[in-house]
């Protein structure tokens, strides 16, 4: 197993835009190795509280070891950020001053062969962030129909060869169960005609992304988490969300825009009947991306997009 290593992306930008204040209460919904949390804890000081949520027991253990020096200012919590309202209320926290969601998987998860997230190593086709239960990628490949697999690969991988890949999966699994990362990577490699292989990305990249999203219900989590975040933020509190692929970023953009929109009555209506008020204001219009220096030193940062929103009060 690899040791826990993960560089927080857009760290300076998150700190600047979240602007954690001494004594404040913050939620890191994707604790991972604790990189962003550590920076926030340094800003909020001993009177502050940082609640770090992760669904991966290995991440919680690593971050807890890293952040012990902050004592009771740091509270690790096992769970999903989509359930943050419940998790926070269980701690007696009614509102927070800021929230960070650094979506997706950590470098540690990607680099640990036994977790099955990457075709760079041979490993079991697992892909669960919460390794204590639930359905694995191998289960999905065994149990879903070809049509369901095609939909997942197309919708979550934006893969134009989804049908061919799903058909190939169906053929192969009749002979032998698909249980390893290299088996799947090889199958996808064969399914996509050679002249359509791209130079810079492995043909299996999109299929792996799709299965990972399906196994972990990632888009549902983003939707639930962002909506819950809007309701848990205090007036003036900020939420920073970092996404790593277009599906995630599109969803975050839509959720932010929806919550920043006021009245949606048709223009001809003499007065407002929808009573919809903006919940937030957009702090970032366009998403913030990594500097050239960060892109050079951390390849993961190249696809990162940061969006930040600020909670409005009822009278804003
Ligand atoms: C990109 S890493 C976060 C890295 C972290 N910001 C740092 O600086 O070390 C994402 C982490 O969030 C966790 N995660 C992803 N989706 C989650 C969810 N819905 N609920 C809880 N944890 C989640 C993953 O297990 C992973 O550890």
């Amino acid at each position: 197993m690899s040791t826990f290593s993960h560089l927080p992306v857009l760290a300076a930008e998150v700190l600047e835009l979240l602007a954690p204040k001494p004594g404040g209460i913050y939620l890191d919904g994707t604790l991972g190795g604790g990189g962003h949390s550590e920076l926030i804890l340094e800003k909020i000081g001993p009177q502050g509280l940082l609640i770090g949520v992760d669904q991966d027991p290995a991440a919680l253990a690593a971050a807890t070891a890293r952040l012990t020096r902050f004592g009771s200012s740091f509270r690790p919590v096992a769970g999903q950020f989509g359930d943050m309202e419940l998790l926070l209320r269980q701690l007696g926290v009614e509102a927070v001053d800021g929230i960070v969601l650094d979506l997706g998987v950590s470098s540690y998860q990607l680099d640990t062969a036994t977790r099955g997230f990457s075709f760079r190593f041979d490993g079991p086709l697992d892909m669960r962030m919460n390794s204590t239960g639930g359905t694995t990628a191998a289960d999905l490949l065994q149990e879903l129909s070809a049509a369901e697999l095609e939909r997942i690969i197309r919708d979550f991988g934006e893969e134009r060869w989804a049908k061919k890949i799903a058909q190939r999966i169906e053929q192969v699994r009749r002979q032998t169960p698909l249980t390893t990362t290299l088996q799947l990577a090889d199958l996808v490699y064969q399914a996509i005609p050679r002249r359509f292989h791209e130079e810079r990305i492995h043909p299996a990249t999109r299929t792996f992304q799709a299965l990972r999203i399906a196994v972990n219900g990632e888009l549902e989590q983003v939707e639930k988490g962002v909506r819950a975040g809007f309701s848990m933020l205090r007036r003036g509190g900020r939420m920073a969300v970092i996404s790593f692929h277009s599906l995630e970023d599109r969803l975050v953009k839509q959720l932010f825009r929806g919550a920043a929109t006021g009245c949606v009555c048709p223009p001809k209506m003499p007065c407002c009947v929808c009573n919809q008020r903006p919940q937030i204001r957009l702090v970032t219009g366009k998403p913030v991306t990594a500097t050239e220096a960060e892109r050079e030193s951390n390849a993961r940062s190249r696809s990162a997009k940061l969006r930040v929103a600020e909670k409005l009060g009822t009278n804003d």
Side-chain angles (χ1 to χ4, degrees), residues 4 6-8 28-36 53-56 59 66 79-82 102-106 109 129 221 244 300:
F4 207 108
H6 179 94
L7 279 177
D28 182 347
T30 50
L31 180 64
H36 288 109
V53 174
D54 207 293
Q55 57 184 333
D56 182 347
R66 174 178 184 168
Q80 294 192 294
F81 62 67
D102 175 17
L103 303 174
V105 277
S106 63
Q109 288 165 328
M129 292 186 199
Q221 277 294 303
F244 290 89
R300 232 183 130 260

Side-chain angles (χ1 to χ4, degrees), residues 19 24 35 62 86 89 92 99 106 108 110 158 177 201 208 211 213 217 235 245 267-268 278 283 303:
L86 180 70
R89 294 216 162 99
I99 297 172
S106 63
Y108 166 80
L110 278 173
E158 301 187 287
I201 77 162
F208 270 66
L211 286 171
I213 291 175
R235 179 182 182 181
H245 54 78
K268 283 186 190 149
V283 176
S303 48

Side-chain angles (χ1 to χ4, degrees), residues 213-233:
I213 291 175
V215 164
N216 296 291
E218 290 181 37
L219 299 179
E220 291 94 318
Q221 277 294 303
V222 171
E223 176 149 10
K224 259 181 99 180
V226 170
R227 288 188 196 284
F230 292 150
S231 91
M232 294 308 291
L233 279 176

